[in-house]
Amino acid sequence: MSVELALIALLAAPVAQALLTMALARPPGLRDVVFIGFAFAIAGLAVFLVDAVGNGATARVVLARPLPNVDLAFALEPLGVLMAALITILGAPHAVHAAGIVRATHEKAPARLMAFLALSMASALAVAFSANLFSFFVAYQALILTSFPLIAHRGDDEARAAGRVYLATLLAGAIGLLMPAMVWTYAIAGALDFQAGGVLAGRVDAWTANALLTLFVFGIAMASLPPMHRWLPAASRAPNPALVSTHALTVLPAGGVGILKVAALVFGPALADARIAAQGLMVLAGVAMCVTALIALSKQDIRERLTYSCLTQVLAVVMGALLATAVGLFAATLQVVALSCAAATLTMAAGTVMAATGRTDVSDYAGLGRVMPWTFAGFALASASMIGLPPFSGAWAKLWLITAASHAQLPWAAALAGAAAVLTFAHLGPLAANAL
């Protein structure tokens, strides 16, 4: 199989997965086999592309050219392939888990829920492989629209209210902030392609760089920098398979990767010209990391506690990306990986507990590890990674973030990252220990 064909197949396979899951909704066994089989096949395609990129392969697929020098195109590059491999490999066990959860909890319209899980995955893969800002914007909008039905799936008053907050926040950021930033970039550079060294490098003055960076960071509301974070708490009451998707596989990772693409491939060295905005946004992210970790400590519903914990972690991605150093970008990338792995494990474990025991309050978790030892072994390991305990991936992400902040001569940023890790321990450490 050629690399171009594999890229097209990877983007199209989740769409086929969604269509076939809906078409073969009865009997449930056939539906589940199709859904799970596609998930493993998609992960296999992603692994194939990882190997191809590791051997120096490149590919670019152009679907349309709506403007001069602007393509609707998808390309292979290391960051996109990393994200694709991460979310599809985690998506395989999630497919098995989702199929079991919808049966155990008698979730309404399970085929529809599974179909939108697949469509959200397709949109997230399009975000990962977007070759330019225009393609990123189209894929980002698609992800908003395909993940919204997951939040409002149950159709009751609470779900509809959560869906409205989710849709309004993300669309307002995308249309009101991200789109003007994209148009402004096109007016300056005459192109929107992601490129090493940044498309804006040498083309913007300090005022323009600061304004554009502010628009981009708040416009990518999936990165959840306050006050654009409101969609994430609203999503916490969604069905568990949707919670796993938004927190670990699609929406939050897409926000982190979007910030990384903007920092490294749109600004590049021009990020140094946006020093005032970058440091202001880092202060906001660092303080918000500590505040959200404290809020998580106050939440007794496990879904809300995990939601605020994930919010703390994605803000660390924003801080690392804005440090304007190679080490900061590496730390932010590793943080995306650590967040996805830990969040997927924690939310799937919480869903298993809810399906098996009906318990969602953290005070009811004490001693459950003796009843569900494998579930809580995974919960404890993921908590350790989220906190930042060695040798887990979360520890190295936080260590590199603190190192990057120190090398950038921003000790306050390193201190805020460290304080957030301590507060994460406060809301996850005793919970895991008491359960065991």
Side-chain angles (χ1 to χ4, degrees), residues 107-109 112-113 148-164 237-239:
E107 193 67 56
K108 63 181 292 187
R112 187 184 72 200
L113 179 64
F148 160 71
L150 297 175
I151 308 304
H153 175 76
R154 287 178 175 155
D156 54 22
D157 290 341
E158 184 181 46
R160 286 195 295 269
R164 285 194 295 269
R237 295 297 180 137

Side-chain angles (χ1 to χ4, degrees), residues 323-344:
L323 284 171
T325 64
V327 179
L329 291 170
F330 175 76
T333 304
L334 186 55
Q335 179 67 18
V336 172
V337 176
L339 165 62
S340 290
C341 294

Side-chain angles (χ1 to χ4, degrees), residues 311-367:
L311 178 53
T312 302
Q313 305 305 310
V314 77
L315 290 170
V317 178
V318 177
M319 178 181 285
L322 295 180
L323 284 171
T325 64
V327 179
L329 291 170
F330 175 76
T333 304
L334 186 55
Q335 179 67 18
V336 172
V337 176
L339 165 62
S340 290
C341 294
T345 305
L346 288 170
T347 48
M348 284 196 287
T352 301
V353 172
M354 181 181 65
T357 69
R359 301 184 187 185
T360 59
D361 197 288
V362 296
S363 61
D364 295 330
Y365 269 44

Side-chain angles (χ1 to χ4, degrees), residues 69-155:
N69 296 325
V70 176
D71 298 330
L72 179 59
F74 303 98
L76 288 182
E77 47 85 21
L79 179 61
V81 171
L82 172 64
M83 180 187 174
L86 174 69
I87 65 176
T88 55
I89 291 172
L90 290 173
H94 173 237
V96 178
H97 185 264
I101 287 291
V102 297
R103 289 196 185 206
T105 59
H106 306 288
E107 193 67 56
K108 63 181 292 187
R112 187 184 72 200
L113 179 64
M114 290 177 172
F116 278 105
L117 288 173
L119 291 174
S120 296
M121 178 67 74
S123 301
L125 289 171
V127 167
F129 289 120
S130 55
N132 52 48
L133 275 172
F134 176 75
S135 303
F136 173 80
F137 180 77
V138 172
Y140 186 87
Q141 294 284 83
L143 180 54
I144 294 172
L145 297 177
T146 54
S147 57
F148 160 71
L150 297 175
I151 308 304
H153 175 76
R154 287 178 175 155

Side-chain angles (χ1 to χ4, degrees), residues 148-253:
F148 160 71
L150 297 175
I151 308 304
H153 175 76
R154 287 178 175 155
D156 54 22
D157 290 341
E158 184 181 46
R160 286 195 295 269
R164 285 194 295 269
V165 173
Y166 181 89
L167 197 61
T169 304
L170 292 181
L171 284 179
I175 296 172
L177 299 171
L178 179 58
M179 186 167 67
M182 178 181 66
V183 172
W184 196 355
T185 300
Y186 182 69
I188 292 170
L192 295 174
D193 281 353
F194 293 133
Q195 61 185 45
V199 71
L200 291 175
R203 291 188 169 101
V204 290
D205 55 29
W207 185 90
T208 302
N210 281 285
L212 272 173
L213 183 63
T214 303
L215 287 174
F216 273 119
V217 173
F218 283 114
I220 302 176
M222 290 179 185
S224 301
L225 190 68
M228 308 305 291
H229 71 290
R230 298 177 184 275
W231 66 269
L232 190 53
S236 64
R237 295 297 180 137
N240 181 262
L243 206 64
V244 179
S245 178
T246 57
H247 289 32
L249 303 181
T250 57
V251 183
L252 274 185

